[in-house]
Amino acid sequence: MPEDCIYIARSSAIAARALAGEMMVMNSADSTFFTLNEVATAIFQAADGHTPLREIVRDRICEQFDVDSEQAQADAEQFVAELSSHGILLVSNQPLAPEAPR
Amino acid sequence: MSLMSEVGQKAFNLGVPLAVHMDVTYRCNERCVHCYLDHDDHGEMTTAEIKDALDQLAEAGVFFLSFSGGEVFLRRDFFEIVEYARRLLFNVKIKTNAVMIHEKEARRIRELAVDTIQISVYSHRPEVHDAITKLPHSFERTIKAIRFLHEQGVRVTIANVLMTVNSSDHSGVQELAAELGVQYTLDPTITPMMDGDTSVLSLRIPGEELTEVFHNPALVGSQEEFCAPPKPPSEEDLEGYSCSAGHSFCYISPYGDVFPCVQFPLPTGNIRQQKFLDIWNLSPELKKVRSIQAKDLTVCSSCSHVSSCTRCPGLAYMEGSMRGPSTADCEKSFYRTGVPTANMLQQGLSKPRTLSGNPAPLIQIRPIAVPA
């Protein structure tokens, strides 16, 4: 999948809440529980299904956290892959409709 | 320390209400012999009021939200409430007797990604379960619902309240849970009724039988660890607090009253009159609860069990003082380890007095009057 075309959306099966700047995320399907640091939280919050990951990294990460864009993109892709493997983020090369509990 | 424990400790230290138990109704279709509630509707919060409360809880940082009752499904708007809670990204747990859950409801629960459904089962014998709930065929209906939920992939926990009338049935219920492919949890706590009536305490299983429960590896895991004599308390233990009630947890009644815990009926405010965060941050009662460290406890601070006791400040409050001992927990500590508690020694007892005959005065607890 070309990296420019990665779209991410939050799954409808998750619970999430910020605690002192970090995001707690839990998937009800398997009770996996994560806490996300500030950078990961910014990506998670921007996962609206229609903003490409590269744009999220450029606008939300590089700008706000003053990090190298190549490294930030690689870290973001790794993070997205991990959360996707736990069903917390949905990943596609097409824009995704944001999921809400049905 | 697990990640979950770390988060819990962080919320505790920061004073963030990480978890809330909300009863949406006290009405019920069962009449369980041990229930501490009255089942009349004294003016439950409306759908709009509950949604507003949920908005406020999300803003306050609440993550874990348990809906309970009464029987939650007696509210016609219950799924609307759960759907709203899930849109606000709460981790939702539901406590129910499940008799109103059929295939359609089980599917809806799965679609809403509810974390866990906790269902009360009192016995593996239908006649015993039905005699406790006083609802004919309730066992059959509850078990059928558990199967529907399990088929949908919903996580189910069977909660087995242990009392005199079903004290020999826990292994049968445990086997039933295994057969159904669901989790099992046991609770020997019987709470006085909301109006202060203590007659239900006669259903508490006698202490001698607690010994058997506490020494059963199938129920407690490592018996050696669970029943070990108490270690002398460290300075850190004495600086510690009883539990999360009022620190990172609270209870909201169907009428909007806020309490430190469902088992701690100290009124702290009402969300129909005040913002939740104003109650949470400013209530003098909650501040008082939060100030109590183990070293401040009137009797328990000198007890050898102080670092390992499950002392419930709510039960202690119902006995007269939130800084005092909770006799039910003294009894558990004694029958778990065989070592008398400071409370027992002070009364010259070598073994606990039976709780049904406990002379401790119980304060009267009634729902707070809500303006019309």
Side-chain angles (χ1 to χ4, degrees):
Chain A
M1 188 186 301
E3 54 188 40
D4 278 348
C5 296
I6 296 177
Y7 295 89
I8 55 174
R10 295 181 292 271
S11 156
S12 63
I14 58 157
R17 190 75 70 229
L19 176 64
E22 292 188 340
M23 186 66 73
M24 301 174 282
V25 185
M26 195 162 181
N27 185 346
S28 69
D30 60 3
S31 283
T32 46
F33 180 67
F34 294 86
T35 54
L36 310 181
N37 65 20
E38 236 183 313
V39 177
T41 297
I43 297 174
F44 178 82
Q45 285 178 321
D48 57 10
H50 59 79
T51 309
L53 180 60
R54 185 165 283 281
E55 206 175 304
I56 294 172
V57 172
R58 186 190 68 208
D59 298 346
R60 304 284 186 105
I61 308 302
C62 296
E63 211 164 87
Q64 287 179 31
F65 298 96
D66 193 23
V67 288
D68 170 70
S69 63
E70 286 306 309
Q71 187 59 50
Q73 181 69 26
D75 289 349
E77 284 174 19
Q78 196 184 340
F79 160 75
V80 164
E82 192 185 344
L83 287 200
S84 152
S85 73
H86 288 285
I88 285 170
L89 285 180
L90 308 175
V91 185
S92 171
N93 56 4
Q94 300 290 329
L96 293 151
E99 283 201 342
R102 288 167 290 166
Chain B
M1 190 187 271
S2 71
L3 181 59
M4 189 70 86
S5 308
E6 270 179 44
V7 165
Q9 192 59 51
K10 189 172 171 182
F12 191 103
N13 295 341
L14 293 168
V16 172
L18 187 67
V20 165
H21 174 139
M22 179 186 276
D23 280 348
V24 291
T25 182
Y26 286 157
R27 288 173 289 134
C28 196
N29 43 11
E30 293 185 340
R31 286 291 180 272
C32 298
V33 293
H34 63 291
C35 187
Y36 56 90
L37 296 171
D38 87 63
H39 297 296
D40 296 325
D41 178 356
H42 299 283
E44 293 168 3
M45 285 189 284
T46 62
T47 315
E49 284 176 317
I50 290 182
K51 286 182 177 177
D52 178 53
L54 296 179
D55 286 335
Q56 293 187 51
L57 296 180
E59 192 192 330
V62 176
F63 184 53
F64 298 105
L65 181 64
S66 296
F67 287 121
S68 184
E71 174 45 45
V72 291
F73 285 99
L74 282 181
R75 277 194 76 119
R76 289 178 188 273
D77 59 358
F78 185 60
F79 273 123
E80 188 181 341
I81 291 167
V82 176
E83 186 178 326
Y84 194 80
R86 287 292 300 121
R87 281 184 187 276
L88 293 170
L89 297 179
F90 288 104
N91 173 279
V92 172
K93 292 186 171 64
I94 297 172
K95 297 181 179 186
T96 171
N97 59 36
V99 299
M100 292 169 76
I101 297 177
H102 306 282
E103 247 175 316
K104 186 178 147 205
E105 288 77 17
R107 193 164 50 246
R108 188 84 188 103
I109 288 165
R110 192 251 305 148
E111 286 169 354
L112 287 168
V114 169
D115 185 278
T116 311
I117 305 280
Q118 184 173 305
I119 299 173
S120 306
V121 177
Y122 301 104
S123 173
H124 58 297
R125 295 180 289 164
E127 66 278 15
V128 174
H129 178 93
D130 290 2
I132 289 171
T133 65
K134 297 188 192 166
L135 180 68
H137 308 294
S138 57
F139 177 83
E140 188 189 332
R141 291 168 69 183
T142 294
I143 299 303
K144 215 170 169 181
I146 292 173
R147 291 190 200 280
F148 286 142
L149 289 160
H150 186 61
E151 276 165 23
Q152 288 292 331
V154 176
R155 196 174 303 110
V156 175
T157 297
I158 283 181
N160 183 195
V161 175
L162 208 57
M163 50 194 139
T164 50
V165 284
N166 65 349
S167 64
S168 61
D169 289 4
H170 54 79
S171 54
V173 180
Q174 225 178 350
E175 280 168 26
L176 177 63
E179 181 203 316
L180 292 166
V182 303
Q183 297 293 310
Y184 169 87
T185 179
L186 176 138
D187 184 0
T189 309
I190 301 292
T191 307
M193 292 186 71
M194 289 185 80
D195 62 2
D197 181 355
T198 60
S199 58
V200 288
L201 298 188
S202 62
L203 292 166
R204 279 179 176 166
I205 60 171
E208 291 77 7
E209 288 183 34
L210 274 179
T211 306
E212 189 253 313
V213 171
F214 289 156
H215 289 74
N216 182 342
L219 296 173
V220 302
S222 164
Q223 183 194 330
E224 213 167 275
E225 204 176 299
F226 191 78
C227 301
K231 289 181 189 154
S234 65
E235 214 165 288
E236 202 184 334
D237 291 327
L238 292 170
E239 299 282 327
Y241 300 88
S242 289
C243 65
S244 61
H247 291 268
S248 57
F249 175 83
C250 73
Y251 165 67
I252 302 177
S253 81
Y255 314 121
D257 298 320
V258 180
F259 301 95
C261 174
V262 66
Q263 215 164 242
F264 196 157
L266 170 71
T268 66
N270 185 290
I271 52 175
R272 283 170 155 165
Q273 297 160 7
Q274 285 172 276
K275 290 287 177 198
F276 172 77
L277 266 179
D278 287 343
I279 298 169
W280 182 258
N281 291 327
L282 304 174
S283 151
E285 293 82 10
L286 283 174
K287 285 182 180 171
K288 192 173 165 190
V289 171
R290 289 175 195 139
S291 73
I292 302 171
Q293 294 175 286
K295 65 184 178 190
D296 304 321
L297 302 175
T298 50
V299 177
C300 307
S301 58
S302 63
C303 182
S304 60
H305 290 280
V306 69
S307 62
S308 56
C309 180
T310 55
R311 177 187 172 276
C312 169
L315 289 177
Y317 172 73
M318 284 193 259
E319 283 189 30
S321 166
M322 65 173 94
R323 290 169 194 262
S326 146
T327 310
D329 291 297
C330 291
E331 187 173 46
K332 284 182 199 165
S333 287
F334 173 76
Y335 285 111
R336 185 167 52 80
T337 63
V339 177
T341 66
N343 187 28
M344 290 165 57
L345 295 172
Q346 201 177 67
Q347 295 176 59
L349 301 171
S350 58
K351 67 179 212 173
R353 201 177 265 138
T354 53
L355 282 167
S356 50
N358 179 10
L362 277 155
I363 57 163
Q364 295 290 302
I365 307 130
R366 295 186 187 283
I368 304 168
V370 175

